[in-house]
Amino acid sequence: MSAASVEQPFDDDRPFTLTAIADEIMERHPGYRVEIIGGNLLVTPAPDVPHARALTKLMRPFIEAGLDDGETEVLQGIGLWLPTDTEDYAIPDLAVVDADIEDHLVENNAYDPVCFRLVLEVTSGNWKNDLRTKVTAYAEARVPVYVVVDRRHQRLHVLTDPAGDTYENHRVHAPGEVVVLPDSIGAKVGLDVGQILKAGQKKDG
């Protein structure tokens, strides 16, 4: 997702915390997504249609593999608490989570990262957040698998084996490939890179 700055006056009677500012931005700008990563606010406008279309295409193989039933669920836009700072949290576009995730609420509608088997982002204007800032954040949260649909460069990134502030394995895939994700997510899932990237582009005409 892309991030943009939003400057607005804030209510004087609310506590001056990043979480309060994030809540204020979302209240004043419905549809915006606000995350706090590394003590910094990331403000994301509502996604465009191709972004949403790519997410729809992406959900299908996960659901067809049975990951939205039983021990796991496939969810969009769920908060992930980050251990990087006291108020840090991210909101990945898509996640495969343990079915008991509601028992693991930390705070501010963000859940313990131990429940997340996979997170996925579809890039927009500010793609560097997904390919840099969030790599560090998700690795430090020890999310086992991080997938990035890079619409700018027409590539799909699969990062596995978090170690410190990075992932030990980072593979880049091009259209024409079918990527099989690690079994650790709970089922065998193959992603058609070309199909997903095509869904994320604007239609001609």
Side-chain angles (χ1 to χ4, degrees):
M1 299 284 287
S2 62
S5 62
V6 175
E7 296 184 4
Q8 290 285 343
F10 298 102
D11 293 339
D12 293 336
D13 60 345
R14 298 186 66 171
F16 188 76
T17 65
L18 287 175
T19 301
I21 294 171
D23 291 343
E24 186 86 10
I25 291 170
M26 288 186 290
E27 182 179 322
R28 292 173 180 266
H29 302 274
Y32 276 60
R33 181 178 299 181
V34 184
E35 301 164 289
I36 305 173
I37 299 179
N40 297 306
L41 286 167
L42 297 182
V43 182
T44 308
D48 60 13
V49 167
H51 183 285
R53 187 182 294 122
L55 276 178
T56 299
K57 296 286 187 189
L58 279 159
M59 288 193 73
R60 291 174 184 169
F62 291 102
I63 292 171
E64 289 168 0
L67 287 171
D68 200 42
D69 298 293
E71 296 182 355
T72 56
E73 291 185 72
V74 182
L75 303 174
Q76 292 189 29
I78 187 73
L80 188 163
W81 178 81
L82 296 171
T84 47
D85 209 334
T86 55
E87 295 183 88
D88 279 10
Y89 67 92
I91 306 175
D93 288 325
L94 187 70
V96 176
V97 300
D98 293 341
D100 67 348
I101 187 170
E102 290 180 271
D103 297 332
H104 298 275
L105 177 66
V106 178
E107 58 185 22
N108 197 34
N109 287 329
Y111 296 83
D112 193 318
V114 72
C115 300
F116 290 74
R117 301 188 182 194
L118 171 147
V119 294
L120 184 149
E121 301 283 4
V122 177
T123 65
S124 291
N126 195 342
W127 49 271
K128 292 180 182 178
N129 284 328
D130 295 328
L131 290 173
R132 296 179 187 174
T133 306
K134 289 192 174 183
V135 169
T136 299
Y138 292 143
E140 291 187 344
R142 301 196 62 77
V143 177
V145 182
Y146 177 32
V147 177
V148 184
V149 179
D150 183 358
R151 296 196 293 164
R152 180 184 178 91
H153 302 103
Q154 290 295 285
R155 295 288 185 267
L156 186 141
H157 301 254
V158 179
L159 297 90
T160 59
D161 302 316
D165 62 356
T166 190
Y167 284 86
E168 289 187 350
N169 295 305
H170 181 173
R171 300 198 174 187
V172 183
H173 302 274
E177 295 183 64
V178 174
V179 179
V180 179
L181 298 176
D183 291 342
S184 62
I185 66 174
K188 191 170 291 295
V189 174
L191 300 180
D192 185 321
V193 178
Q195 181 186 65
I196 292 166
L197 290 169
K198 182 179 178 181
Q201 300 302 304
K202 292 182 179 179
K203 290 184 177 180
D204 296 331

